[in-house]
Amino acid sequence: MTDAPVHLADGRWVGRSLRRVEDPALVRGQGRFTADLKADHFVRFVRSPLASGRIVKIEAPEGARMFTAADLAAVKPIQPMLHKFNYRPIAQPILARDVVRFVGEPVAAILGRTDAEAEDFADQVELDIETLDALVTADEALGDNAPLVHDEAPRNVIVEGIVKTPDFDATWAKAAKIVRIDARSRRQNATPMEARAGHASFDPSTGRVTLTCTSQMPHLFRTTVCDALDMPESELRVIAPDVGGGFGQKMSVSPEYVMLVFLARRLRTSIAWTEDRRENLIASYHSRDQQLSLEGAFDADGKLLALSGDIVANIGAYSCFPTTCGVEPLMAMAELPGPYDFRAYACRSRGVATHTCPIAPYRGVSRPSITFVLELLMDKAACELGIDPVDIRRKNLIAAFPYTSATGLVFDEASYRETLEMAAKAIDVPAFRVRQKAARAKGKYLGLGFGTFSERTGYGTPAFAARGMGITPGWEQVEMAMDPSGFVELKIGASPHGQGLRTTLSQIVADQLGINPNRIRVVHGDTDRTPYGFGTFASRSLVIAGGASVLAARKVRVKLLQIAGHFLEAAPEDIVLEDGNAKVAGTDRTIPIRDLARAAYHGAHQFQKDFVPGLAETATYDPGGTFSNACHVAIVEVDIETGGVKIEKYLVAEDAGRIINPMIADGQIHGGVAQGIGNALYEEIVYDETGNILTSTLADFMPPTAHEIPPIELHHRETYSPATITEAKGLGEGGGIGAPAAIVNAINDALSPFGVSVAEIPATPQRIRAALRAAEQRS
Amino acid sequence: MTDKVDITLAVNGRDYDIRVEPRRTLADTLRDDCGLTGTHLGCEHGVCGACTVIVDGAPVRSCLMFAVQAEGKAVRTVEGLANGDTLHPLQQAFMDHHGLQCGFCTPGFLMLATGVLEREPDISDEDLVDVLSSNLCRCTGYQNIIKAVRAAAAEMRAK
Ligand code: FES
Ligand code: FES
């Protein structure tokens, strides 16, 4: 078997907007989510009300069963590892021991026979914590006499990266113009509609525990929980049933899951935890929270010669597992150059610990922030050099491939310029400028903004190995078996949470085997039933699990052709599989595939001695990775009186390689853009100066509704990836990456008559008004 | 802890005789006592609408209503939407127009839309967006939900 791309262009199923097999159960309310399971006991976590403090006393109310750190002497903390010389390994305790480090940190677990009883007990716990000084922002944590969040991390820096290309200083000196941006990407929460939940059940007959939970990576959850509890992995089964969205938040293994399995084993019972929304907002993982300063050295024509960056990420109180807190700052440093062609680059990136909720990956990871700041820089440079924003991008986008970036990333191929041109044409920039001028004359402020980006997708172990994580994910494995009735079961290590992967994979496999997708069942999210894998994150499942599925299907196909050759008395090369039949090309000799399947199991005697009965195959795929790209464009209207922003038009020109199911692909982009719009304009986790969270309901956090999300116009370009088997690139995250850049650039374009701009997301009315007020005061 | 009371809840045309604490929400009761887990809880504070069910013809947030308040009223949940094997036009439209991804918000949207279209079959497209903005979806970006509901509305009107 080779990894060469297979051409599925004449495939009958790939490329079609097939209805999702996932849907019938979900629209009937027959989805099976973690919180639907019954349990004998319910657990509530008693959480710290203080950002920083020393635990003096925890006392359970009468009749309640409570566990604290003292009960967990034999349980190991969660230890995310990064093998980088400048990473300080910080372990996260399962329950806080001696000190608390953020509001929401679990300090005790308390049980009830019902959820309500557990909640009542939790309310009555006497918790005495002596207040210590809290560090809430990265600036405070980096301050000269700041206390330490962890003794192991001097100056509270947990991870730091520095790059500088040898030609940097010399190139910098040649600049005609230095343009600077100081931007902030505020703290946000991925906010899946289903919060986190877990249900651990002990089976006395086997001694095993089944943990059903909201996980994007069940196998890694199993490994991590077993490591903490020092138990064999064979004793734990992890099931991710229907998962109500994850967006990265559900890939980190949090202490609560370790606690659930610990309790189920200790009490030999079933035990459930369903996080409430307040817990999700204060104590699940947060994201973003970065200060980014960028300087670009341009020549007089607007060509970017060199880029220098300083990135400070407030990573919260602990490092998340498995990606570690390096995921945002280090990836930002590596991928900051984005789609632009320049050779000289210098960057420093720091992850700083504070007394806030830990940060974890969230759709797009670092790219929404770096795209935002880089695209702001491009617009500012265009403005200062008197160049059109489209022209400055034209001048600087990478055009020749393969291309090796200043940080050593290899872009196999992409269509940065083509998608920019598609987008610019579709939006009709000259017509907009006329309209903008006329509107301005009437006191209506319209703005146009672009967000161009490159998104690394579907990368395998080499890319992860370079990161030096304690565990190196990357590959995916599948097990495929055609049963004697000719139906296929495909078991995958990937574990989707709404992306329709069962549908898209069945399309891919159907083409390989010449059968209808409805004869293929995709099994996922159960460590007992599926091969080890890394789950679903980083726009990888369709690319990597899809590639592995093709490889496995090819093996099954080879065998089917062999068997068909025997019955049809033809050479396997002359046989095609289509419409459920094996046919000798150019003849009317044909046999149903299900007859071949039956023969593979029940007719082994008919074949040669070396024939291996059955039609079960395994395959592994581990690609080097590829890049999707897109250009997002927004037209907004800014209300100068209120600072409110209305999106008048939103357009995406994107290239994610071969599209397996256009309907699903469009849906992923819509959803990503909507989250990006939320990130750009509304959503923010706000702490007060003591480290208490002021935004602990959805009414405060403000995810957008149908009102705020405009129709999204999509333009596709399919540049088939030479780097992946299916020629697809990933697209799960892209929608969210371009939106903050496009929207804030549009806002700034609208604000240009006032000589002000914003460089902060979310660009709330308050921030826009503050910028305008500053201008009013100046004049 | 409060004493439990006996109530009879009429859900999807069937009576459930159950014992609940008076403080128990309708959502928890439907899910835990009636075993109808199609109704989902996304916030329990009335913002997300995932828990929307129909009570006496009107969509309500079942996390904001006590089960005892629903006694004597007709409750409808997503489980009662299809007619046997035949899906409700809204269910079909959500599938046809890719109005769901993870499907967690879907029951709430379906019940919200059902309640509204039954009461106001001729609702304008703009008003429909208005109504749909009372529920949150984190996956779909809403466009396909709006499309699905408009398509179902047209179909229901045609019938
Ligand atoms: S769960 Fe009822 S509105 Fe969110
Ligand atoms: S489909 Fe996932 S929240 Fe709406």
Side-chain angles (χ1 to χ4, degrees):
Chain A
M1 291 294 142
T2 69
D3 280 3
V6 285
H7 289 276
L8 301 168
D10 49 358
R12 312 193 41 223
W13 300 105
V14 164
R16 283 169 55 167
S17 287
L18 227 59
R19 302 280 182 279
R20 301 197 324 164
V21 294
E22 288 82 353
D23 291 353
L26 293 170
V27 298
R28 286 174 176 271
Q30 290 166 344
R32 286 293 165 258
F33 294 87
T34 300
D36 300 346
L37 295 172
K38 302 246 182 218
D40 290 334
H41 293 89
F42 291 80
V43 65
R44 282 273 142 192
F45 290 94
V46 179
R47 296 181 182 275
S48 173
L50 291 176
S52 175
R54 195 174 312 284
I55 300 172
V56 181
K57 185 172 89 176
I58 318 173
E59 215 171 88
E62 278 267 314
R65 187 137 191 202
M66 186 173 79
F67 292 80
T68 65
D71 301 298
L72 303 182
V75 179
K76 284 196 274 264
I78 296 175
Q79 178 68 76
M81 258 322 282
L82 203 57
H83 300 293
K84 296 260 182 201
F85 72 94
N86 47 10
Y87 175 72
R88 320 273 174 192
I90 303 296
Q92 180 169 12
I94 306 306
L95 294 172
R97 183 182 296 273
D98 306 329
V99 295
V100 291
R101 294 191 173 90
F102 69 97
V103 166
E105 181 170 6
V107 296
I110 197 156
L111 301 178
R113 277 161 305 154
T114 63
D115 203 21
E117 187 182 71
E119 208 169 332
D120 287 341
F121 281 146
D123 281 347
Q124 296 160 37
V125 169
E126 233 183 282
L127 185 59
D128 187 358
I129 298 179
E130 177 197 332
T131 313
L132 298 172
D133 285 344
L135 302 165
V136 185
T137 64
D139 282 344
E140 282 167 36
L142 290 171
D144 274 341
N145 294 314
L148 296 183
V149 179
H150 298 279
D151 293 341
E152 302 92 313
R155 298 190 67 88
N156 292 312
V157 176
I158 303 259
V159 65
E160 179 164 11
I162 291 177
V163 286
K164 188 172 181 185
T165 55
D167 56 345
F168 182 80
D169 293 327
T171 313
W172 194 261
K174 286 189 219 144
K177 178 112 203 150
I178 305 289
V179 181
R180 185 183 169 98
I181 284 278
D182 292 293
R184 289 205 67 163
S185 157
R186 294 280 179 174
R187 190 168 269 246
Q188 299 180 317
N189 182 306
T191 325
M193 287 317 302
E194 179 202 33
R196 295 177 302 165
H199 177 283
S201 165
F202 179 81
D203 179 349
S205 69
T206 59
R208 298 181 82 216
V209 174
T210 298
L211 172 67
T212 306
C213 60
T214 55
S215 169
Q216 292 176 227
M217 30 171 44
H219 287 93
L220 221 54
F221 270 49
R222 188 182 77 186
T223 298
T224 313
V225 169
C226 289
D227 280 352
L229 298 177
D230 195 20
M231 64 190 272
E233 288 205 34
S234 58
E235 283 183 17
L236 181 63
R237 173 186 192 181
V238 177
I239 296 177
D242 285 319
V243 176
F247 315 115
Q249 190 178 78
K250 292 172 180 168
M251 72 181 275
S252 296
V253 189
S254 61
E256 288 87 350
Y257 298 110
V258 176
M259 200 60 209
L260 281 171
V261 176
F262 169 85
L263 290 170
R265 290 179 103 209
R266 165 71 67 91
L267 307 172
R268 303 172 79 80
T269 186
S270 62
I271 186 142
W273 164 62
T274 308
E275 179 180 65
D276 65 30
R277 185 54 62 180
R278 177 173 180 275
E279 281 180 291
N280 182 263
L281 284 167
I282 71 169
S284 70
Y285 295 93
H286 291 168
S287 57
R288 324 280 194 230
D289 205 344
Q290 292 183 19
Q291 295 160 235
L292 309 105
S293 298
L294 224 58
E295 280 186 314
F298 290 84
D299 74 9
D301 294 334
K303 176 88 187 75
L304 178 61
L305 305 173
L307 185 72
S308 120
D310 185 19
I311 299 163
V312 176
N314 176 352
I315 62 99
Y318 296 102
S319 194
C320 61
F321 185 94
T323 59
T324 82
C325 63
V327 64
E328 277 270 344
L330 296 186
M331 191 164 172
M333 185 176 80
E335 299 195 17
L336 181 59
Y340 294 110
D341 173 26
F342 60 92
R343 306 300 332 159
Y345 177 55
C347 188
R348 172 158 80 146
S349 172
R350 281 169 291 173
V352 180
T354 62
H355 294 108
T356 60
C357 176
I359 294 286
Y362 169 29
R363 200 173 199 165
V365 188
S366 88
R367 275 86 41 110
S369 307
I370 58 181
T371 299
F372 164 62
V373 61
L374 188 59
E375 290 296 280
L376 251 57
L377 182 82
M378 281 296 170
D379 267 25
K380 192 170 179 195
C383 176
E384 292 185 8
L385 290 160
I387 305 174
D388 180 82
V390 177
D391 281 339
I392 198 165
R393 288 178 173 79
R394 259 185 207 126
K395 224 179 269 273
N396 285 294
L397 288 171
I398 301 165
F401 301 93
Y403 176 91
T404 305
S405 81
T407 54
L409 296 178
V410 180
F411 298 106
D412 47 342
E413 57 75 45
S415 55
Y416 305 126
R417 291 193 180 190
E418 293 84 349
T419 45
L420 172 73
E421 300 300 349
M422 274 168 84
K425 188 164 166 241
I427 207 92
D428 196 348
V429 180
F432 171 77
R433 293 295 173 207
V434 173
R435 199 155 66 82
Q436 181 182 38
K437 211 166 145 200
R440 246 180 227 172
K442 289 193 216 127
K444 197 171 146 176
Y445 293 90
L446 301 179
L448 168 68
F450 286 81
T452 310
F453 66 88
S454 169
E455 179 201 356
R456 193 179 198 190
T457 58
Y459 38 103
T461 51
F464 280 105
R467 287 194 191 172
M469 284 157 59
I471 55 114
T472 304
W475 49 268
E476 280 300 329
Q477 230 169 46
V478 304
E479 288 168 14
M480 183 183 296
M482 183 178 272
D483 66 24
S485 65
F487 278 74
V488 170
E489 193 170 70
L490 173 67
K491 301 170 179 178
I492 60 173
S495 186
H497 40 282
Q499 300 94 330
L501 194 62
R502 277 165 56 203
T503 304
T504 42
L505 291 183
S506 69
Q507 287 178 262
I508 290 172
V509 171
D511 279 347
Q512 294 292 323
L513 297 180
I515 58 177
N516 191 298
N518 67 17
R519 300 174 84 85
I520 299 163
R521 178 192 302 279
V522 179
V523 178
H524 61 75
D526 181 345
T527 59
D528 269 13
R529 288 265 282 138
T530 59
Y532 205 97
F534 293 97
T536 297
F537 61 97
S539 306
R540 71 193 295 277
S541 10
L542 182 67
V543 177
I544 308 184
S549 302
V550 169
L551 294 178
R554 280 191 201 162
K555 294 188 194 176
V556 173
R557 177 189 174 86
V558 164
K559 210 151 164 204
L560 286 172
L561 292 176
Q562 243 175 31
I563 301 169
H566 170 85
F567 289 118
L568 297 172
E569 295 175 348
E573 315 74 87
D574 297 333
I575 297 173
V576 290
L577 301 177
E578 61 183 34
D579 296 334
N581 293 305
K583 297 178 192 155
V584 181
T587 74
D588 56 2
R589 276 186 292 150
T590 165
I591 183 171
I593 289 174
R594 57 162 198 278
D595 291 0
L596 306 177
R598 183 151 295 247
Y601 288 89
H602 301 159
H605 60 283
Q606 304 176 72
F607 306 109
Q608 280 168 5
K609 259 217 314 285
D610 59 354
F611 180 79
V612 181
L615 284 167
E617 300 288 352
T618 302
T620 305
Y621 184 46
D622 188 4
T626 183
F627 292 82
S628 290
N629 62 275
C631 177
H632 287 214
V633 196
I635 293 179
V636 304
E637 182 183 343
V638 179
D639 182 329
I640 298 304
E641 299 300 319
T642 64
V645 175
K646 188 169 170 298
I647 301 171
E648 189 192 90
K649 188 169 178 71
Y650 201 96
L651 186 150
V652 178
E654 67 83 41
D655 186 348
R658 183 185 291 282
I659 300 293
I660 308 298
N661 181 319
M663 176 187 86
I664 290 178
D666 288 0
Q668 287 292 307
I669 297 166
H670 285 173
V673 169
Q675 284 191 343
I677 290 172
N679 295 172
L681 293 175
Y682 310 107
E683 296 162 15
E684 181 172 355
I685 295 282
V686 183
Y687 280 95
D688 71 11
E689 62 285 352
T690 68
N692 195 23
I693 297 197
L694 304 177
T695 43
S696 61
T697 73
L698 290 179
D700 307 312
F701 185 64
M702 294 204 298
T705 73
H707 246 305
E708 286 77 38
I709 306 301
I712 296 153
E713 184 177 322
L714 296 184
H715 297 262
H716 295 284
R717 184 190 162 90
E718 283 184 79
T719 310
Y720 298 155
S721 172
T724 72
I725 292 185
T726 54
E727 302 174 312
K729 308 166 181 179
L731 50 62
E733 300 167 282
I737 296 176
I743 289 170
V744 177
N745 272 336
I747 292 171
N748 289 339
D749 184 39
L751 294 177
S752 59
F754 302 91
V756 298
S757 59
V758 289
E760 203 162 342
I761 43 173
T764 56
Q766 292 87 328
R767 293 194 172 113
I768 290 169
R769 275 300 306 155
L772 285 163
R773 243 191 329 270
E776 282 156 18
Q777 275 158 11
R778 273 203 305 274
S779 62
Chain B
M1 228 107 333
T2 348
D3 287 338
K4 294 194 174 182
V5 295
D6 291 325
I7 58 168
T8 302
L9 270 195
V11 189
N12 303 328
R14 181 185 146 187
D15 282 347
Y16 292 82
D17 297 319
I18 48 181
R19 270 183 103 87
V20 293
E21 289 176 45
R23 67 171 182 176
R24 195 159 177 76
T25 65
L26 177 58
D28 285 343
T29 307
L30 289 169
R31 289 177 51 79
D32 300 339
D33 302 292
C34 305
L36 297 167
T37 52
T39 299
H40 295 154
L41 289 164
C43 70
E44 295 173 271
H45 51 239
V47 179
C48 75
C51 64
T52 304
V53 299
I54 298 175
V55 178
D56 275 355
V60 303
R61 307 199 158 202
S62 60
C63 73
L64 295 184
M65 184 170 185
F66 296 115
V68 291
Q69 292 175 292
E71 186 162 36
K73 303 197 162 111
V75 180
R76 285 161 63 199
T77 70
V78 69
E79 286 92 343
L81 207 48
N83 184 1
D85 285 344
T86 313
L87 292 177
H88 187 278
L90 272 162
Q91 291 172 311
Q92 189 60 48
F94 267 64
M95 292 179 28
D96 293 345
H97 297 276
H98 193 28
L100 66 153
Q101 289 184 19
C102 76
F104 192 81
C105 70
T106 311
F109 269 102
L110 287 170
M111 299 320 283
L112 172 70
T114 302
V116 169
L117 293 182
E118 284 176 358
R119 298 216 304 188
E120 226 183 309
D122 295 316
I123 188 168
S124 71
D125 281 359
E126 298 71 57
D127 287 352
L128 208 49
V129 174
D130 233 18
V131 169
L132 292 177
S133 70
S134 52
N135 281 19
L136 292 175
C137 172
R138 199 56 171 164
C139 300
T140 64
Y142 302 109
Q143 291 315 302
N144 287 346
I145 294 179
I146 296 169
K147 234 192 272 173
V149 177
R150 284 180 181 163
E155 201 194 317
M156 287 162 73
R157 274 195 295 268
K159 274 195 182 155

